[in-house]
Amino acid sequence: MLAGDEEAFEVFGERYSKALYRFALARLDGDRELTRDLVQTAICKALSKLESYRGEASLLTWLCACCRNEILMHFRARRSAPEERAFEDDARPAAGLADAGTVPSGVPGNPVEAGNPEVLVLRRETETLVHMALDVLPGRYAEVLEGKYLERLPVREIAARLEVGEKAVESLLTRARQAFKVTYERLRSERHGVAAEENGRNRRGRDHG
Amino acid sequence: MDEWDPRADRGPDRIAGAPTAGDDDHEVGALLDTAGSRPEIPREDLDAITTAARAAWRRQVEEVARRRALRTRTTVRAAAGVAALLVAALGALWWWSGSRSGGPGPVIAHVEAVSGSVRFDPAGGGATEVAEGLPLGPGAEIETAATGEAPGRLSLRLAGGATVRMDAGTRLRIASANALELRRGAVYLDTGTVDASSALGAGRIEVRSPVGTASDVGTRFAVRLLEPRASALRVRVRDGAVLVARRGVSYRADAGDELVLHGDGTVERRSAPAWGDDWSWVLAAAPRFDLEGRALTELLDWVARETGWSVRFEDERLATSAEEITLHGSLGDLRPDQAPFAVLPGAGLEGELDGGTLIIRRPQGP
């Protein structure tokens, strides 16, 4: 991309700006204007440092770290409390693939969910991660997964929509599921690693203070 | 660029505990079901982000190209017998830089680092935002936003090699490669790296102001116009010496000196430490240090130069072994006064600041 490849930038812009927007919006109480400003700043700064990205973390994780930093700096500049909340939110585990079947499914009126703010936070966290993972999937993977699992379309209809054969859809679905799982798990584990580290640092800071 | 690993396509056995397609189907379905449809992101928000990102990306692409061009130039210079090629490359660079600086004439400075809001007026051509890598011609006027939400700070390198930092709320005109006109605020100069053989860098660098003119004698120093109404000029010298002239009278300030020239003609002299809070804005405006592949001693030299600290190793053996340590990674946004404390533990060392001295030692046992 740093060689000036316009197409690479388009892919970057389309996939990652959406995912980062969701990441920031979830931490800024849905404040659109602030989200837009901070994501803009984070992406611009990240691009100016793109040469230093070494691939130790996934690109999205690296961008999220830039964005998280921008959010913290914003709240520190204003010396307001949401900084603490952001850390706490990050520290809660999202649902893993193995837990997916037991996570409250968001059925309206679910008493466990209705009375338990932690479950609500957990579910919000899972939602954001799932949506971010879908945002960064390449090609038609997100489209085919959403068609199958959200719209509950039969393979025949997905094939017609994508203008490919049913066999191709089956194959696409297999690859899409794999790609989604890898992306989601990586996002989840990397974010919790960062969150735990931040939380520990935060706690140590409070203890010393 | 892709977030997912294409090797995962080889089969589900890459995912521990998810060996069958049926499991995949169930798990992925449950997660998507839990999350529901992706909420639509407002198009105008995405457009605003993409537009800003595109501008930043283009600047970065230009900067990478410029650095590659400079590296090419260095290589060419080193190869004896290809002088003609060097002339052509320099000519091309000259033309390219001149066309970007918004006017004819030589490029006499480049912007190295920017934070917050900084605007410049290329010799009366209308103000515009400053970006890293921007070449500047004679007469360029730069203004950094005052302290507030996003205080502007800037670091630029003059053609001769000297670096200039501007604090927030500063207005500066670059009259030539050797003359800066301070209209408001404060600048910091480091002329220790001036290339004496450069035609543009030859001679002392002057900071002119309505109150007096400070010129360097190979040094690092800060010049600030004091409020109200820029009625006094304060010069603090970290290293080397500075001559401050007013109405035909010169005053010399050496390392550790602070001179204040008041509008009523009086001059105050006192001592000023080379480190501490008074210099923190200089650190905030410092260009980034590229850590990857550099020796620990190089990092410490940079830290000492930027902070004014002296660096001392616990013992001679440690100092020798430090020369062998090569660093990897990136400092990110860490400032020079933060960097050693982040980097040293990774090298199996620790640092302690004692007054203005950074002491490097091996970690002590429990």
Side-chain angles (χ1 to χ4, degrees), chain B residues 16-247:
Chain B
T20 67
D23 283 351
D24 280 357
D25 188 47
H26 171 71
E27 290 165 5
V28 173
L31 269 176
L32 261 70
D33 203 40
T34 300
S37 300
R38 284 180 285 174
E40 199 66 34
I41 295 175
R43 195 68 241 175
E44 63 268 33
D45 288 359
L46 274 182
D47 286 346
I49 291 167
T50 311
T51 304
R54 186 185 298 280
W57 168 65
R58 290 212 167 114
R59 279 199 300 273
Q60 192 58 15
V61 168
E62 285 173 2
E63 171 65 8
V64 169
R66 188 185 69 81
R67 284 208 298 271
R68 280 181 188 153
L70 286 171
R71 275 201 292 273
T72 304
R73 188 184 66 175
T74 306
T75 308
V76 170
R77 183 185 281 165
V82 287
L85 186 57
L86 174 62
V87 169
L90 283 171
L93 184 64
W94 189 273
W95 173 84
W96 178 78
S97 300
S99 66
R100 285 188 66 226
S101 65
V107 172
I108 57 169
H110 275 93
V111 174
E112 281 193 314
V114 188
S115 62
S117 177
V118 180
R119 295 175 70 76
F120 95 118
D121 185 345
T128 178
E129 280 290 318
V130 167
E132 284 179 24
L134 182 80
L136 301 167
E141 196 152 330
I142 304 175
E143 184 165 18
T144 55
T147 305
E149 284 263 317
R153 289 202 175 91
L154 173 107
S155 173
L156 57 89
R157 187 173 288 276
L158 297 175
T163 58
V164 180
R165 312 258 169 91
M166 292 173 63
D167 194 9
T170 296
R171 191 172 178 86
L172 182 76
R173 181 173 178 271
I174 305 172
S176 72
N178 299 325
L180 309 172
E181 293 172 6
L182 183 63
R183 308 273 166 87
R184 187 172 65 240
V187 291
Y188 168 83
L189 266 81
D190 182 344
T191 63
T193 52
V194 167
D195 174 7
S197 64
S198 161
L200 286 168
R204 284 178 181 168
I205 295 174
E206 287 184 349
V207 180
R208 301 168 186 159
S209 82
V211 186
T213 297
S215 58
D216 83 285
V217 191
T219 182
R220 288 174 292 152
F221 66 106
V223 182
R224 182 179 289 277
L225 272 169
L226 301 177
E227 297 298 332
R229 294 187 299 281
S231 56
L233 184 72
R234 188 183 71 195
V235 179
R236 279 189 173 142
V237 185
R238 229 179 191 182
D239 188 28
V242 173
L243 292 175
V244 188
R246 180 171 59 183
R247 297 178 201 129

Side-chain angles (χ1 to χ4, degrees), chain A residues 1-6 8-19 21-22 32-33 35-36 39-40 43-45 47-52 54 56 58-61 69 73 77-78 95-98 100-101 103-105 123 126-127 130-131 134-138 141-143 145-146 148-150 152 174-175 177-187 190, chain B residues 1-65 67-68 71 114-116 132 148-150 288 290-293 328-334:
Chain A
M1 199 165 82
L2 285 176
D5 184 343
E6 189 82 28
F9 174 77
E10 291 299 335
V11 171
F12 174 91
E14 182 62 24
R15 285 193 200 154
Y16 292 92
S17 51
K18 276 186 185 171
Y21 188 95
R22 287 189 212 286
R32 261 185 60 191
E33 198 177 340
T35 299
R36 192 181 56 215
V39 170
Q40 253 179 27
I43 290 189
C44 290
K45 283 189 180 172
L47 282 168
S48 74
K49 293 189 290 194
L50 197 55
E51 273 185 299
S52 67
R54 304 275 165 209
E56 298 94 331
S58 71
L59 185 58
L60 182 59
T61 306
N69 197 39
M73 286 200 315
R78 285 164 186 263
L97 284 165
V103 166
S105 62
R123 187 175 161 229
T126 306
E127 275 173 20
V130 167
H131 292 156
L134 288 170
D135 282 336
V136 297
L137 287 182
Y141 286 4
E143 206 179 327
L145 288 175
E146 286 175 330
K148 162 96 175 158
Y149 297 110
L150 293 176
R152 311 213 188 283
T174 305
R175 293 201 305 273
R177 277 192 294 260
Q178 283 298 310
F180 173 82
K181 282 178 65 173
V182 171
T183 306
Y184 176 81
E185 284 292 12
R186 190 182 289 166
L187 268 176
E190 285 177 346
Chain B
M1 175 68 62
D2 288 347
E3 192 57 38
W4 66 289
D5 185 348
R7 286 170 297 182
D9 276 353
R10 289 175 192 164
D13 56 342
R14 277 186 48 80
I15 311 290
T20 67
D23 283 351
D24 280 357
D25 188 47
H26 171 71
E27 290 165 5
V28 173
L31 269 176
L32 261 70
D33 203 40
T34 300
S37 300
R38 284 180 285 174
E40 199 66 34
I41 295 175
R43 195 68 241 175
E44 63 268 33
D45 288 359
L46 274 182
D47 286 346
I49 291 167
T50 311
T51 304
R54 186 185 298 280
W57 168 65
R58 290 212 167 114
R59 279 199 300 273
Q60 192 58 15
V61 168
E62 285 173 2
E63 171 65 8
V64 169
R67 284 208 298 271
R68 280 181 188 153
R71 275 201 292 273
V114 188
S115 62
E132 284 179 24
E149 284 263 317
R288 286 184 294 273
D290 187 6
L291 195 70
E292 180 62 31
H328 297 284
S330 159
L331 285 180
D333 291 329
L334 288 177

Side-chain angles (χ1 to χ4, degrees), chain A residues 34 38 71-83, chain B residues 149:
Chain A
L34 187 56
L38 294 182
I71 293 170
L72 286 178
M73 286 200 315
H74 169 81
F75 285 123
R76 273 183 194 147
R78 285 164 186 263
R79 300 189 194 292
S80 62
E83 175 188 339
Chain B
E149 284 263 317

Side-chain angles (χ1 to χ4, degrees), chain A residues 27 61 68 86-93 125 187-203:
Chain A
R27 280 157 183 72
T61 306
R68 182 188 290 112
F87 277 129
E88 296 302 329
D89 282 357
D90 269 356
R92 290 189 174 95
E125 176 85 2
L187 268 176
R188 199 172 71 95
S189 59
E190 285 177 346
R191 279 198 49 207
H192 292 149
V194 171
E197 196 181 304
E198 281 180 347
N199 220 31
R201 206 184 309 137
N202 220 26
R203 237 173 243 135

